[in-house]
Amino acid sequence: MIIVMRHGAGKEALAEVKNRIREYGYKPHVIHGETRNVIGAIGDERGKSVLQALESLPGVESVVPILKPYKLASKEVKLQRTSVEIAPGVVVGGDQLIVMAGPCSVESQEQIIETAHAVKAAGATVLRGGAFKPRSSPYSFQGMEEEGLKLLALAREETGLPIVTEVVNPRDVDLVAKYADVMQVGARNVQNFALLKMLGKIDKPVLLKRGMATTIQEFLMSAEYILSEGNQRVMLCERGIRTFETATRNTLDISAIPVLREQTHLPIIIDPSHATGHASLVPSMCYASVAAGCDGLIVEVHPHPEVAASDGPQSLRPEVFTEMMAKLAEFAAVVGKTL
Ligand code: PEP
Ligand code: MN
């Protein structure tokens, strides 16, 4: 339920409504608007009709049901788009198009430092790199784990770029949070509810990837798991879904961008690397995604893709990434964003 407060309702009225919501066994979630406040009452769907009685309280204008199964992620609760600050001055969902770039996996000090400098020089604002890798085969490289996290931290120290890296296992949340600026949830973990709940309790932004067979509603329900635990800094990432097509690794669902913009206030990031699987297809998908209204991109870049430990074929060489960034600035300008 959403409790819409009257224009000018005071603090006492707001506090009273919040108390009553708690008494009914729901969690109040206040959204401060420019002209009025609204309070989401979040909790068990059964029995929510008791909340209707709040309409009689002073300062309350109306009590309306939230129709979507996801609440905090929905535009019914918050119309204004959310921006997420991931480091001082690095804001996703504002006027700047945020580009996160780096290798699929951290492989060595030399590799991550070289890549970090290259992507920074090209205009990227966040460094990506996997230290824990969710590989389809148990025989594939699984990542450098904590050693990789330390190398990412070193790259941040050298370049000033904040880092985004994946947490695969709930037991590693604290460890990854010690080093990362943004916690990435991979496509394969989009419905790992234990992991999502833990990420909802920490004070770090989360980049939540859509699964290869996840509907948009399921995707938003996963975001809701994080939001409902208290962490409001959630970014959604479309990274391609599985279709019958084999020419690309996955199929980039570009239409997910306008659909998500209609349904949620959360920022939207596009990953054209995992979506296409081929470096040659990445630039055009970046341009198309910006045109469709994404807030940022996450792109795999490797100084020597031919020897990459993972995802070499889809990784851009730094020179190609640099060229792409120059062209991307033009597309960004068309949609009123800077790069
Ligand atoms: C990755 O970012 O390297 C990755 C494993 O992505 P996804 O979870 O989208 O497959
Ligand atoms: Mn990868």
Side-chain angles (χ1 to χ4, degrees):
M1 288 286 197
I2 301 171
I3 294 85
V4 183
M5 301 301 289
R6 281 186 204 285
H7 181 73
K11 272 191 191 144
E12 303 74 34
L14 193 73
E16 172 69 7
V17 174
K18 281 168 69 179
N19 282 339
R20 295 294 180 108
I21 289 173
R22 285 195 200 95
E23 274 170 31
Y24 283 131
Y26 290 80
K27 218 194 257 182
H29 178 84
V30 183
I31 291 134
H32 298 282
E34 272 173 28
T35 56
R36 67 179 76 230
N37 296 319
V38 301
I39 311 174
I42 309 300
D44 197 338
E45 283 292 282
R46 300 162 298 173
K48 65 180 180 195
S49 56
V50 294
L51 293 160
Q52 208 72 52
L54 298 175
E55 219 158 55
S56 61
L57 289 179
V60 173
E61 183 172 287
S62 58
V63 177
V64 285
I66 307 173
L67 299 173
K68 300 280 190 209
Y70 44 88
K71 314 292 177 192
L72 299 172
S74 114
K75 282 185 65 177
E76 290 180 79
V77 168
K78 182 170 182 268
L79 255 180
Q80 226 172 14
R81 293 187 60 74
T82 290
S83 54
V84 173
E85 183 165 51
I86 61 184
V90 183
V91 178
V92 179
D95 295 334
Q96 191 186 0
L97 181 78
I98 295 296
V99 179
M100 311 178 181
C104 178
S105 313
V106 180
E107 296 164 8
S108 68
Q109 178 168 334
E110 198 186 8
Q111 174 243 19
I112 194 66
I113 300 288
E114 183 182 346
T115 314
H117 282 296
V119 299
K120 184 180 177 172
T125 35
V126 181
L127 175 66
R128 67 147 286 150
F132 290 92
K133 296 305 299 178
R135 305 305 301 280
S136 299
S137 163
Y139 308 119
S140 300
F141 175 57
Q142 301 288 307
M144 291 181 78
E145 304 187 345
E146 188 168 7
E147 201 42 43
L149 295 173
K150 287 184 179 157
L151 293 178
L152 283 167
L154 185 67
R156 171 177 52 206
E157 222 171 275
E158 282 217 9
T159 60
L161 293 177
I163 53 185
V164 54
T165 193
E166 181 166 350
V167 56
V168 175
N169 193 318
R171 96 178 154 227
D172 297 326
V173 166
D174 290 341
L175 175 68
V176 177
K178 209 166 95 185
Y179 298 94
D181 297 285
V182 178
M183 309 284 282
Q184 177 176 327
V185 177
R188 292 155 191 83
N189 264 324
V190 67
Q191 289 191 320
N192 183 340
F193 301 123
L195 178 64
L196 300 179
K197 281 185 187 175
M198 285 188 73
L199 291 170
K201 291 192 176 83
I202 65 167
D203 186 22
K204 286 273 163 158
V206 177
L207 180 71
L208 176 64
K209 286 194 155 194
R210 181 182 181 182
M212 47 269 270
T214 310
T215 64
I216 290 200
Q217 178 162 313
E218 288 164 344
F219 189 23
L220 291 174
M221 293 306 288
S222 291
E224 191 78 12
Y225 264 92
I226 304 170
L227 298 167
S228 66
E229 294 292 335
N231 188 350
Q232 303 304 303
R233 291 195 286 167
V234 178
M235 297 166 277
L236 303 170
C237 179
E238 155 65 31
R239 45 76 74 206
I241 51 176
R242 190 163 283 181
T243 68
F244 56 83
E245 185 54 73
T246 54
T248 46
R249 183 175 178 184
N250 291 284
T251 298
L252 180 59
D253 182 7
I254 294 255
S255 60
I257 301 168
V259 171
L260 286 168
R261 285 183 72 105
E262 275 179 15
Q263 303 197 353
T264 181
H265 51 86
L266 298 172
I268 304 156
I269 306 288
I270 295 297
D271 174 346
S273 308
H274 294 87
T276 62
H278 300 281
S280 66
L281 306 178
V282 168
S284 52
M285 290 301 95
C286 288
Y287 309 145
S289 302
V290 171
C294 72
D295 298 291
L297 298 161
I298 181 164
V299 181
E300 286 186 341
V301 177
H302 195 292
H304 310 286
E306 62 285 356
V307 295
S310 58
D311 287 350
Q314 68 194 34
S315 299
L316 298 184
R317 291 176 192 281
E319 318 82 80
V320 179
F321 177 68
T322 306
E323 255 173 60
M324 182 194 86
M325 288 292 278
K327 201 155 167 196
L328 201 57
E330 296 176 33
F331 282 92
V334 171
V335 294
K337 284 192 178 1
T338 57
L339 191 61

